[in-house]
Amino acid sequence: MGGRIHRLREYIMTQKFEDLMKELKEILAKIEDNQTGLDEAIALYERGAVLVRQAEEILASAEMKITMVGRD
Amino acid sequence: MTWYQQGISDEQSGHTTDVLTVSQVSSLIQTLLDDQRLLDIWIRGEITNFKVHGSGHCYFSLGEKSGNNSAVLSCVMWRKEALRVKCDLHDGMEILVFGSIGHYAPQGRYQLYVRDIQPAGRGEKHLMVEEWKRQLTAEGCFDPARKRPLPAFPAKVGVVTSETGAVLQDIRNVISRRFPLELVVSPTAVQGEGAHKEIALALRRVEREVDVIILARGGGSFEDLFPFNHPDVVREISLCPVPVVSAIGHEVDVTLADFAADVRAPTPSAAAELVVPDRVSLFDSLAGARKMMGSRLLTRLERAGEDLFSLRERFSPRRVGQKLTAKKEDVSVLSERMFRAVSSRILLERERLSAAVEILAARNPAHLLQKGYCILQKDGRVIRSACEIDPGDCLTLRLKDGRADTQVERVYHDPEI
């Protein structure tokens, strides 16, 4: 159980945060690109706003935890 | 020629050996001493006759006594190198010296030109480290190509250090301030006999659980930091599946573990800073991204608005009205032109008509009648020739002011006409 939670946290942090930042950068570039249709740009903005909120939530929910690996 | 000269001459008769000069022999000795086995070597021995010259150069002998055998080597260490020696040198001290054997021609003696001195115990450890370094380099433990970048956003950070002491506390403080996350502490002894085994073990215990490892120790003497040079530790670092950041001792102390680590940090706090991102700056960059996204979309929208405006402008009633007016103008201009053309044509035709009327008037037979001529008609036709008339015909005479019916009595044809 604890292991699953750890894996989840790990996923959220390493995978998701990095992916969020990457996708945000792509969205920025696409919105700026005139080739992107206006409808699409607006949809991208909405998506981007969601990503920013998710990333901020991940940052805000980060908490300190210390575990010791025993010397057997 | 004296008798002894004669004697030598006799002995040497038949030989062609030249007599050498002292300097020639001296340089021959110098050449012989240029032997790899005598260059850049470490020698162990005891200091005797230690003297520091006024110039700062050190002179001493390195002695060895084993049973009945004794040997002594003259040594010289120049001021520049002597200043770098950290320990106090004195007679009777066991040391390791590093240098090359050379020949000093003016005094006709060979001596060791010393470049480094280590107290025997520590010196041997230095040598050991040198040897390990060679060996581990050959194994590829320090290969720069092996170094990995640190993860940008680790979820778990392993810390291999002493569980007591300021180092762990420093790391903890920095991480909780910058980006709180899970620390997995793998405690270990960081000095003393057998510490290298514990450090290697502590690394192994944590390496599969975390995204990055900090291997740290506070400042200490060369001997204190010695376990971090041990091949067990170095190999463990180089085999570690996740990147390792080392922060061992002070910045000036470099251990082999530092060479093997993916990143070397000057202090444990600096290692913690390298390992986790700064949450505040991340928040800032997110806010920046949102702002940028908004402003870029706004720019796009403004541009689209401008496009739309210009399109609408082209379709506006006013523009259509303007076009209609223009067309109306065209029509009126055309009709004007038409009117003008037609009226001038009418005028022209009228002139032509009146000219025709004039011509017609000029040719009116009434004019002839006025002048006294008359017109002879038969059955309404004008008679132009006598041939057309027969006697007895009834003819009408038209005069200026009346008519007269006559009957022909006779017809005379005038042959001359």
Side-chain angles (χ1 to χ4, degrees), chain A residues 7-23:
Chain A
R7 268 198 297 281
L8 191 68
R9 274 183 53 84
E10 201 166 323
Y11 171 75
I12 287 173
M13 197 47 228
T14 53
Q15 284 308 121
K16 196 149 179 206
F17 197 83
E18 232 166 327
D19 291 349
L20 286 179
M21 294 306 271
K22 197 169 148 237
E23 201 183 335

Side-chain angles (χ1 to χ4, degrees), chain A residues 6 9-11 13-14 17-18 21 24 27-38 41-42 44-45 47-49 51-53 55-72, chain B residues 151-156 163 168 171-173 175-176 179-189 198 201 205-206 209 211 277 279 282-283 285-290 292-297 300-301 303-304:
Chain A
H6 278 171
R9 274 183 53 84
E10 201 166 323
Y11 171 75
M13 197 47 228
T14 53
F17 197 83
E18 232 166 327
M21 294 306 271
L24 260 178
I27 283 176
L28 270 173
K30 274 195 202 155
I31 290 181
E32 211 174 28
D33 185 0
N34 280 331
Q35 299 288 311
T36 312
L38 195 60
I42 292 169
L44 283 169
Y45 174 82
R47 168 93 184 124
L51 295 182
V52 168
R53 203 162 50 242
E56 282 175 344
E57 275 166 16
I58 289 173
L59 282 188
S61 69
E63 54 185 294
M64 193 75 177
K65 192 180 161 198
I66 296 180
T67 50
M68 285 271 182
V69 185
R71 336 181 194 190
D72 311 303
Chain B
F153 303 105
K156 280 195 198 180
E163 57 196 308
L168 182 57
I171 291 172
R172 209 179 133 165
N173 289 344
I175 289 182
S176 77
F179 200 113
L181 45 67
E182 184 170 355
L183 287 188
V184 182
V185 180
S186 187
T188 176
E198 259 203 62
L201 203 68
R205 268 202 308 270
V206 79
E209 299 221 10
D211 304 310
R279 182 152 65 157
L282 282 177
F283 269 124
S285 74
L286 276 173
R290 178 163 38 206
M292 186 114 72
M293 209 163 60
S295 75
R296 285 179 190 178
L297 184 65
R300 287 293 307 275
L301 284 172
R303 214 176 300 143

Side-chain angles (χ1 to χ4, degrees), chain B residues 231-247:
Chain B
D232 284 1
V233 174
V234 174
R235 287 196 189 106
E236 194 59 46
I237 292 171
S238 73
L239 291 174
C240 188
V242 293
V244 175
V245 179
S246 72

Side-chain angles (χ1 to χ4, degrees), chain B residues 164-391:
Chain B
T164 58
V167 169
L168 182 57
Q169 204 52 45
D170 287 350
I171 291 172
R172 209 179 133 165
N173 289 344
V174 170
I175 289 182
S176 77
R177 189 189 68 222
R178 279 173 69 89
F179 200 113
L181 45 67
E182 184 170 355
L183 287 188
V184 182
V185 180
S186 187
T188 176
V190 289
Q191 69 186 74
E193 202 62 32
H196 61 273
K197 281 205 174 69
E198 259 203 62
I199 296 166
L201 203 68
L203 281 167
R204 214 171 305 142
R205 268 202 308 270
V206 79
E207 66 190 16
R208 305 251 163 226
E209 299 221 10
V210 296
D211 304 310
V212 59
I213 295 174
I214 299 174
L215 174 61
R217 191 207 186 285
S221 67
F222 171 77
E223 283 82 1
D224 288 343
L225 304 183
F226 191 67
F228 289 88
N229 289 310
H230 196 281
D232 284 1
V233 174
V234 174
R235 287 196 189 106
E236 194 59 46
I237 292 171
S238 73
L239 291 174
C240 188
V242 293
V244 175
V245 179
S246 72
I248 297 153
H250 295 123
E251 199 172 356
V252 288
D253 310 315
V254 185
T255 65
L256 296 185
D258 289 312
F259 284 127
D262 295 272
V263 177
R264 183 189 175 218
T267 62
S269 302
E273 278 175 17
L274 286 172
V275 158
V276 295
D278 181 19
R279 182 152 65 157
V280 175
S281 70
L282 282 177
F283 269 124
D284 285 352
S285 74
L286 276 173
R290 178 163 38 206
K291 211 167 143 192
M292 186 114 72
M293 209 163 60
S295 75
R296 285 179 190 178
L297 184 65
L298 227 80
T299 310
R300 287 293 307 275
L301 284 172
E302 273 167 14
R303 214 176 300 143
E306 280 162 17
D307 289 351
L308 188 63
F309 181 79
S310 77
L311 275 176
R312 194 168 51 204
E313 188 71 349
R314 281 159 65 184
F315 283 117
S316 76
R318 193 167 58 82
R319 286 288 286 268
V320 175
Q322 278 175 354
K323 267 210 174 128
L324 276 178
T325 312
K327 292 285 171 210
K328 271 183 196 158
E329 255 178 58
D330 288 352
V331 169
S332 76
V333 165
L334 275 177
S335 70
E336 179 99 342
R337 264 175 65 190
M338 214 160 68
F339 178 76
R340 240 182 271 137
V342 168
S343 6
S344 64
R345 182 70 190 272
I346 287 172
L347 215 66
L348 183 70
E349 295 300 330
R350 216 174 251 163
E351 275 166 14
R352 274 186 190 161
L353 187 63
S354 67
V357 166
E358 258 171 46
I359 290 166
L360 208 61
R363 291 190 184 165
N364 195 334
H367 286 287
L368 289 173
L369 300 182
Q370 287 285 349
K371 288 181 181 169
Y373 294 97
C374 71
I375 296 166
L376 187 62
Q377 287 179 311
K378 180 180 161 186
D379 302 330
R381 287 191 298 116
V382 174
I383 299 298
R384 297 169 195 271
S385 166
C387 298
E388 294 174 46
I389 315 166
D390 294 311

Side-chain angles (χ1 to χ4, degrees), chain B residues 35-50:
Chain B
D35 186 316
Q36 280 302 313
R37 288 168 299 177
L38 297 174
L39 302 175
D40 298 338
I41 48 174
W42 284 96
I43 307 166
R44 188 190 176 114
E46 188 189 318
I47 299 177
T48 54
N49 298 321
F50 184 77

